[in-house]
Amino acid sequence: MSGGPADRAVLSAANISMRYRRGGKLSGSEQIQALDGMSLEVRSGEILALVGPSGSGKSTLARCLAFLERPDSGEVGFQGEAVPWEDVLAMRGLRRRVQLVFQDPARAVSPRFTTEQVLREPQQAWQQRASPQRALDWAQLLAEVELDPKVLPMRARSLSGGQLQRLVLARALVTEPDALLLDETFSGLDLSLQAKLANLVLGLVESRGLTCVLITHNSALAEQLADRSLVLSQGRVVDERSAPDASTGGTS
Amino acid sequence: MTKPIDSNPDPKSPVLRLDRLEVRYPSRTAESDAVVVDGLGCEIARGQAVGVLGESGSGKTSLALAVTGLLPSEARCSMELEILGRPVPAAADERFWRRLRGDTIGMVFQQPSLALHPMRRVGLQVADVLLSHRPWSARSCRRKVMELLDELDLESDIFQAFPHQLSGGQRQRIVLAQALACEPSLLVADEPTTALDRKTEIQVLELVRRLSRERQMALLWISHDPGVLAEITDRIYVMYAGRWMEEGPTESLLAEPNHPYTKLLLDCLPRRKALRSEPLDRRRLTVIPGMAPPASELPSGCRFVDRCPVVTESCGEKPSPVPMGQGRTWCVRAGSTRLGSGP
């Protein structure tokens, strides 16, 4: 991978703020400032890590960058242009290009769906509007995430945790996105599985030329995988760490 | 209310002595039973913290369930278990275990949100433990709960809260308060901090460590994360496919593992720092090739034989423990060759 002229922003956020209201006996009616004037750029082809404790706004930021949530103020941009939140049809087209993968795959799929149904859903949603219709190469898709084609007719509830995690990765790839947002995808996994999945994602980023945003609280993992890390705290970017350049500094 | 096991017997006897634990599940499809735990033994002294390191499917949860009498009814379990020097009878029924659990043995499991009743105030849920084990009035139970909340760094108005109003860390502390309410001699914890973020996790671990020192409480801490066990335990048992692979003092085991499995597992931790514009291939993490054997088709000898990089002919026999330093390693090659240098 070479940086150079391809360093344009795939995703960007300019001064975005997001506030949630929470009501409750203990907390009173309190407002939570999830994002507080955050700005960042995700460059094409890079792996960017967002590191921070829970409550620092990582997941809200991910939802905004995946165009699932509109910030209260500020602008979210895709490939240099501000996202047209009002244009519902255009937004649908945009959402397929940025895919979000969550931490707990068991809660991200219906346990009664078969693997094939899980993968068909985004395909159908996308192809209703796409023309010409495109057939999906199941075998190739499953091979990409190292899943056995035998799982296609199996129901999601009968898959192991590792298989499910691969399945939700495959689902995210169905719509051929430009960017992949991984929200704590590697958290709470066994060491050996975490390593296998991280390697799998590295392979996908390389073979598909994806841009990847890795949200994690594991800073060792972020350092091993990412080109750049942003440290978030209380809805702001408080620190930026770039990996040293291979040509100038540091040996492995 | 009589207690099945006195909490103040001979102070020299270990809190827990377990031998020949075997847990198997009858299989509907395969002919042979699934052997989940196969002949494990361990001992935990007063105030000692013992960790079990294993991946999912290694049988570590079955181990926790077996020593708390919580295995599902279809599981077949045999073991020699002594709690505070008194044997637990093989025919121990639910009534026996009920008096033991929550009193002499406290438990914390992985998901605090599943362990709490969503519609009952959390203070009352802690008081329930005391009401069922102590002949105390409601008022003194309430006073004790308040003390516990204070000890666990929780505000006293949390007593009135419902679980959904609390954060994950607060909920896990409430579950911990339940487990600690009757001042147990042994706390069994099965991955209780996996759902918490790193900062909250460390806080909970430090809290448990402090309490176990103050009360001389023994800990059996089960986890897949070596970082967590390094934080809290004195001794670690490494478990793979239902058997011990290696055990020893925490520091030396994590720094210089003797078993090839432990070595490979610890190699999976991210250690290297990425460099900009280097090939992504170089950022790959080390993985253990292959998969753990299914519990119905276990190899007869060493369980790790199919994935081991330094396998020899004698690996087909069941390994017996080899003393290594202050620990033991269940590997025929242990001590004879330097591991990792290849055959």
Side-chain angles (χ1 to χ4, degrees):
Chain A
M1 288 236 104
S2 62
D7 267 9
R8 67 201 161 83
V10 177
L11 282 167
S12 61
N15 201 19
I16 58 170
S17 293
M18 185 87 189
R19 194 179 285 170
Y20 293 115
R21 247 189 308 281
R22 188 166 84 171
K25 228 177 190 176
L26 272 184
S27 47
S29 182
E30 107 185 281
Q31 298 225 323
I32 295 173
Q33 190 82 41
L35 296 177
D36 189 7
M38 187 177 293
S39 301
L40 65 100
E41 280 192 346
V42 189
R43 296 171 201 144
S44 176
E46 80 170 340
I47 301 179
L48 173 70
L50 302 176
V51 193
S54 40
S56 59
K58 300 187 301 256
S59 294
T60 306
L61 178 63
R63 292 181 65 80
C64 290
L65 291 180
F67 318 127
L68 299 176
E69 203 117 39
R70 184 177 181 176
D72 297 334
S73 63
E75 260 176 14
V76 178
F78 180 70
Q79 304 213 320
E81 282 175 44
V83 164
W85 292 99
E86 264 83 30
D87 187 346
V88 180
L89 286 179
M91 285 310 290
R92 260 191 222 163
L94 279 181
R95 283 196 187 102
R96 86 160 174 85
R97 305 186 64 175
V98 179
Q99 289 289 315
L100 186 54
V101 179
F102 301 96
Q103 176 176 1
D104 187 356
R107 283 195 284 181
V109 297
S110 165
R112 292 194 284 177
F113 271 26
T114 62
T115 303
E116 189 173 346
Q117 282 173 307
V118 171
L119 295 175
R120 269 248 155 89
E121 238 187 356
Q123 188 208 13
Q124 281 165 348
W126 170 31
Q127 293 211 334
Q128 273 172 5
R129 310 184 346 96
S131 57
Q133 297 258 322
R134 296 179 52 175
L136 197 64
D137 188 346
W138 297 113
Q140 202 219 320
L141 184 64
L142 291 177
E144 248 183 297
V145 296
E146 292 158 24
L147 263 179
D148 193 329
K150 274 190 287 192
V151 301
L152 267 184
M154 282 165 71
R155 288 193 196 277
R157 65 164 171 246
S158 58
L159 301 186
S160 72
Q163 286 174 320
L164 273 174
Q165 199 63 270
R166 288 165 200 274
L167 175 61
V168 292
L169 269 174
R171 178 174 66 179
L173 297 176
V174 167
T175 61
E176 295 180 1
D178 300 297
L180 207 54
L181 309 180
L182 305 176
D183 189 356
E184 301 279 13
T185 303
F186 307 122
S187 307
L189 297 175
D190 291 335
L191 285 180
S192 59
L193 184 58
Q194 171 181 289
K196 277 180 190 165
L197 285 171
N199 289 349
L200 177 67
V201 167
L202 284 177
L204 289 171
V205 167
E206 181 125 73
S207 65
R208 288 188 169 238
L210 290 171
T211 301
C212 181
V213 179
L214 181 72
I215 297 165
T216 180
H217 56 249
N218 185 343
S219 47
L221 191 65
E223 278 181 356
Q224 168 125 13
L225 299 176
D227 296 295
R228 205 154 59 97
S229 299
L230 297 178
V231 183
L232 308 189
S233 175
Q234 298 183 334
R236 290 165 184 269
V237 178
V238 293
D239 194 10
E240 175 175 344
R241 302 175 193 149
S242 285
D245 205 287
S247 49
T248 55
T251 47
S252 62
Chain B
M1 201 174 291
T2 52
K3 286 177 153 194
I5 287 176
D6 190 355
S7 56
N8 277 321
D10 179 12
K12 271 172 278 173
S13 62
V15 176
L16 175 132
R17 180 183 284 142
L18 176 69
D19 207 8
R20 283 175 231 179
L21 169 66
E22 193 179 290
V23 181
R24 43 174 74 228
Y25 289 90
S27 167
R28 267 168 293 167
T29 47
E31 273 181 24
S32 52
D33 290 356
V35 183
V36 180
V37 180
D38 187 10
L40 296 188
C42 68
E43 233 178 68
I44 309 178
R46 287 175 77 87
Q48 194 189 19
V50 166
V52 176
L53 178 65
E55 296 179 82
S56 42
S58 63
K60 57 191 196 308
T61 296
S62 291
L63 169 74
L65 296 178
V67 298
T68 48
L70 285 170
L71 282 169
S73 54
E74 71 265 26
R76 294 189 202 132
C77 166
S78 65
M79 62 177 163
E80 289 163 27
L81 177 63
E82 279 178 26
I83 305 278
L84 293 166
R86 309 275 181 87
V88 172
D93 58 356
E94 187 57 21
R95 273 188 63 196
F96 176 92
W97 280 113
R98 277 200 170 190
R99 282 181 294 165
L100 204 60
R101 278 197 305 256
D103 195 349
T104 316
I105 306 178
M107 300 146 313
V108 192
F109 293 110
Q110 187 167 359
Q111 293 245 330
S113 46
L114 295 181
L116 292 170
H117 193 296
M119 301 280 280
R120 192 163 161 77
R121 295 184 193 278
V122 293
L124 297 177
Q125 297 194 47
V126 180
D128 286 342
V129 182
L130 289 162
L131 284 167
S132 57
H133 289 285
R134 295 279 184 272
W136 294 353
S137 68
R139 183 180 293 177
S140 41
C141 285
R142 193 188 167 90
R143 202 179 309 127
K144 176 73 185 169
V145 175
M146 288 309 193
E147 281 174 34
L148 275 164
L149 294 183
D150 185 49
E151 220 175 346
L152 293 167
D153 304 325
L154 289 165
E155 303 279 329
S156 58
D157 55 358
I158 272 187
F159 190 97
Q160 297 292 340
F162 291 100
H164 75 267
Q165 295 171 308
L166 305 180
S167 70
Q170 286 173 321
R171 265 182 239 154
Q172 197 54 280
R173 274 170 224 230
I174 292 293
V175 177
L176 214 57
Q178 290 183 310
L180 298 174
C182 294
E183 313 205 340
S185 309
L186 171 68
L187 180 69
V188 178
D190 185 8
E191 309 232 19
T193 57
T194 317
L196 308 177
D197 74 279
R198 192 72 190 152
K199 201 171 134 206
T200 324
E201 183 172 46
I202 300 266
Q203 282 172 355
V204 171
L205 292 177
E206 274 169 2
L207 187 70
V208 174
R209 194 73 185 121
R210 195 190 79 216
L211 291 172
S212 85
R213 286 214 180 100
E214 281 170 14
R215 298 175 171 193
Q216 281 291 293
M217 177 175 68
L219 288 178
L220 177 61
W221 202 275
I222 289 168
S223 180
H224 66 255
D225 185 348
V228 166
L229 294 181
E231 206 75 47
I232 199 167
T233 61
D234 308 311
R235 223 176 163 75
I236 292 182
Y237 285 75
V238 181
M239 191 171 182
Y240 179 79
R243 283 211 199 127
W244 296 145
M245 295 284 119
E246 176 169 15
E247 64 106 4
T250 300
E251 255 179 58
S252 63
L253 186 138
L254 293 180
E256 288 162 34
N258 287 312
H259 198 285
Y261 171 65
T262 323
K263 204 172 144 46
L264 279 171
L265 187 68
L266 296 176
D267 276 347
C268 293
L269 280 167
R271 288 167 201 277
R272 203 182 151 264
K273 295 198 167 137
L275 299 172
R276 281 182 76 75
S277 65
E278 69 178 342
L280 289 183
D281 257 4
R282 298 199 33 206
R283 294 188 195 171
R284 285 178 174 265
L285 293 141
T286 315
V287 297
I288 310 178
M291 306 258 284
S296 50
E297 297 160 31
L298 294 168
S300 56
C302 175
R303 295 278 156 89
F304 193 56
V305 66
D306 296 334
R307 305 169 78 186
C308 185
V310 289
V311 68
T312 60
E313 282 152 32
S314 46
C315 291
E317 294 154 31
K318 185 178 173 182
S320 38
V322 182
M324 297 286 290
Q326 292 174 49
R328 289 173 291 167
T329 303
W330 281 258
C331 175
V332 289
R333 287 177 62 99
S336 58
T337 0
R338 278 191 64 84
L339 296 166
S341 52

